[in-house]
Amino acid sequence: MVSIVESVNHYNQQNDQSAYNSQKDFLFLDSNNTSWADALPQKQGLYDPDYEKDSCGVGFIVHIRGAPSHKILSDARNVLCNMTHRGAVGSDARDGDGAGVMTGIPHEFFHQETTRLGIHLPPQGQYAVGNVFFKPEHAVTEECKLIFEQTAKSLSLKVLGWREVPKNDSILGPAAKSREPIILQPFVTLASYDPDSSSNNSLNDIDKFDEAYFSRQLYILRKQTTHIIT
């Protein structure tokens, strides 16, 4: 019985090999595999291993019903710490190449923070929040903020105010700390929003809010300020 099975397997292997050889010309196979230890498949058809790119480690933490929760953030922090091996380390062994967590806009949190700063936010979904890195020079920061606000105004947007992001730089090494930026968050909405209006009906009606237009203007704002502010 064993010999019969071996014969059948040998016959199948021969058929598989001959079928593979007959398709070589059709698949445009390239025998020059330049990947390390032939880890990637050979070039064939529209696939080219030269287009393969290594990427940073990425983890996703979500609530299956879309409910906001601080546990999502704490779990994401644990994921981030477990991916230390995916990041580069500087010569002082204390600085990395940068890592972080991206979340949705926590409206209730920002509402509390902006109220303390005297900023009146529109309803959730009708404003955007940015993270902008500035050089640690007061004059340069103020000039860049003015450019950002003027660019937003030219796009029918309005910067309601800025929030400085709290930070703990005690873990930074000397190299990173010498170039530590100032991180500010601009709160941007449509220019038609009137924070002094008692009812704020000028923008708050969700049926009248053009989300697609707002997203396009934000995209242009980001692209223009990225090129203007260096």
Side-chain angles (χ1 to χ4, degrees), residues 146-190:
L146 180 60
I147 294 174
F148 187 94
E149 293 172 356
Q150 291 175 342
T151 306
K153 185 177 180 180
S154 69
L155 297 170
S156 299
L157 298 173
K158 178 191 297 184
V159 178
L160 298 174
W162 298 80
R163 171 180 179 264
E164 184 170 359
V165 179
K167 56 190 178 183
N168 179 5
D169 58 6
S170 60
I171 197 174
L172 296 181
K177 199 165 187 176
S178 65
R179 298 186 297 272
E180 182 183 10
I182 298 174
I183 307 175
L184 299 180
Q185 292 178 325
F187 293 85
V188 184
T189 186
L190 290 175

Side-chain angles (χ1 to χ4, degrees), residues 46-133:
L46 297 177
Y47 174 76
D48 189 341
D50 289 340
Y51 292 126
E52 294 284 358
K53 305 294 182 183
D54 291 334
S55 60
C56 297
V58 180
F60 296 90
I61 303 294
V62 301
H63 190 285
I64 195 169
R65 299 186 182 277
S69 169
H70 186 270
K71 188 177 185 303
I72 297 175
L73 186 60
S74 61
D75 288 345
R77 179 186 57 194
N78 292 335
V79 170
L80 190 63
C81 292
N82 289 332
M83 300 181 77
T84 304
H85 64 286
R86 295 292 299 176
V89 179
S91 58
D92 59 5
R94 294 185 61 184
D95 298 329
D97 61 352
V101 176
M102 178 179 291
T103 70
I105 295 178
H107 176 68
E108 294 183 3
F109 170 76
F110 278 139
H111 178 71
Q112 296 176 0
E113 287 292 298
T114 54
T115 299
R116 180 176 57 84
L117 297 172
I119 302 172
H120 302 284
L121 290 180
Q124 186 174 6
Q126 299 186 12
Y127 68 94
V129 185
N131 285 306
V132 187
F133 295 78

